[in-house]
Amino acid sequence: MADTFKASLKLLCLLLWIAAWCLPVWAAKKGGKIALRDRMVRLCYAGILRIAGITLKVTGQPDKARPLLLVTNHISYLDIWILGSAAPVRFMPKSEVAKWPVIGWICRNCDAIFVDRRPEKIREMTQTVQAALARGELVCLFPEGTTGNGVHLLPFKSSFFSLAEEPIDGRELTIQPAAIRYTRIRRLPIDSTQWPLIAWYGDMELAPHLWEILKMGSIEAELAFLPPVTLSQYGDRKQMAAQCWKEIAAVLETPIIN
């Protein structure tokens, strides 16, 4: 009963917190004050983490090189909150998200780049991403192509790294891997039976999963920005994708110290 009451209170606070930021974020974007909009979005994400009871430890930072593409493992929608609180990131949700009530509107006001994988739309989408990168924006994608179960890092699709095969605004694209991992629930290391409580994958429904997250209590997470790579270092995109996978996997496999 106590967990249900706390979860209800958290949910109410989340809804009020997000609603409070919608108008200021929209106004900043409408007025062309993108830097201000980005700062507000980061504050909003940080507040969401705090309300949800998620404590985040960040190591490293986004590389200063531009154009810069961030690639990271993907476990849950919680990853969006974490990355969004740490850097002014442009996410790449699937095109269907644009039609979702409220969430689609929020994504548009945060300049999300919606991914439409129909063959006739691939070139258009690529050009949109390239334009964002050329403007110096930090674009983030999840090269697994879907969310994993938290236990195993899925193979990276090397096609996502094809952006590095062409110069962007006359410059080589830098790709920086980052690793997200969830380490503790209620201050105890996460065990194998608890991963479905954190990871959101398969045919899991969003609302029931979020409700369990809010009932869970404290969650500890880590975000590590890792050394960047370029295509010229590895020769082809498959080797570069493999190197990013290796670096992220090494972080995820590091034992959690009790």
Side-chain angles (χ1 to χ4, degrees):
M1 183 65 72
D3 286 345
T4 300
F5 175 77
K6 290 179 180 178
S8 300
L9 186 59
K10 286 181 180 179
L11 181 58
L12 177 60
C13 290
L14 276 176
L15 294 175
L16 292 175
W17 177 256
I18 294 171
W21 283 102
C22 284
L23 182 57
V25 167
W26 174 83
K29 175 179 170 59
K30 194 75 172 177
K33 299 179 180 179
I34 302 304
L36 175 61
R37 188 277 311 271
D38 288 346
R39 287 196 295 271
M40 290 193 292
V41 170
R42 288 186 64 183
L43 285 172
C44 181
Y45 278 126
I48 289 173
L49 290 179
R50 188 176 182 85
I51 293 168
I54 301 173
T55 302
L56 176 63
K57 177 183 177 182
V58 179
T59 56
Q61 60 184 355
D63 196 75
K64 294 181 179 179
R66 292 294 185 275
L68 179 65
L69 178 70
L70 191 68
V71 296
T72 182
N73 58 306
H74 198 15
I75 302 169
S76 171
Y77 50 86
L78 303 180
D79 305 341
I80 305 298
W81 303 353
I82 285 172
L83 289 163
S85 72
V89 177
R90 301 287 180 268
F91 292 107
M92 296 177 61
K94 58 185 180 181
S95 58
E96 291 87 346
V97 174
K99 300 177 183 178
W100 291 4
V102 182
I103 294 177
W105 183 87
I106 291 173
C107 288
R108 286 192 294 274
N109 278 282
C110 293
D111 287 337
I113 301 170
F114 296 102
V115 177
D116 189 333
R117 294 183 182 174
R118 288 179 295 175
E120 66 271 21
K121 293 291 184 178
I122 292 295
R123 185 59 189 169
E124 179 183 337
M125 184 198 70
T126 301
Q127 290 173 342
T128 301
V129 176
Q130 289 173 330
L133 291 168
R135 291 192 298 269
E137 297 174 3
L138 177 56
V139 178
C140 177
L141 62 78
F142 303 110
E144 291 169 283
T146 186
T147 49
N149 61 11
V151 179
H152 303 291
L153 180 63
L154 299 175
F156 284 0
K157 299 180 185 299
S158 64
S159 58
F160 285 116
F161 292 77
S162 62
L163 286 163
E165 294 179 334
E166 298 180 27
I168 296 176
D169 197 25
R171 295 166 292 173
E172 184 176 30
L173 177 64
T174 298
I175 294 182
Q176 183 174 20
I180 301 171
R181 73 171 187 162
Y182 299 87
T183 55
R184 290 178 174 82
I185 296 175
R186 293 177 177 172
R187 299 185 179 181
L188 295 175
I190 296 176
D191 62 43
S192 59
T193 65
Q194 293 175 310
W195 274 114
L197 301 176
I198 296 289
W200 185 58
Y201 60 99
D203 58 356
M204 291 182 176
E205 295 184 9
L206 177 59
H209 190 272
L210 176 59
W211 180 248
E212 292 302 319
I213 288 286
L214 298 179
K215 287 172 60 178
M216 199 175 301
S218 64
I219 299 172
E220 296 178 35
E222 297 175 354
L223 170 61
F225 291 99
L226 304 171
V229 299
T230 59
L231 187 65
S232 59
Q233 290 177 280
Y234 294 94
D236 64 62
R237 72 188 191 195
K238 290 186 177 181
Q239 291 188 48
M240 185 168 57
Q243 177 63 25
C244 289
W245 187 96
K246 181 179 179 180
E247 291 186 13
I248 292 173
V251 174
L252 301 182
E253 292 168 2
T254 303
I256 300 171
I257 300 174
N258 294 328

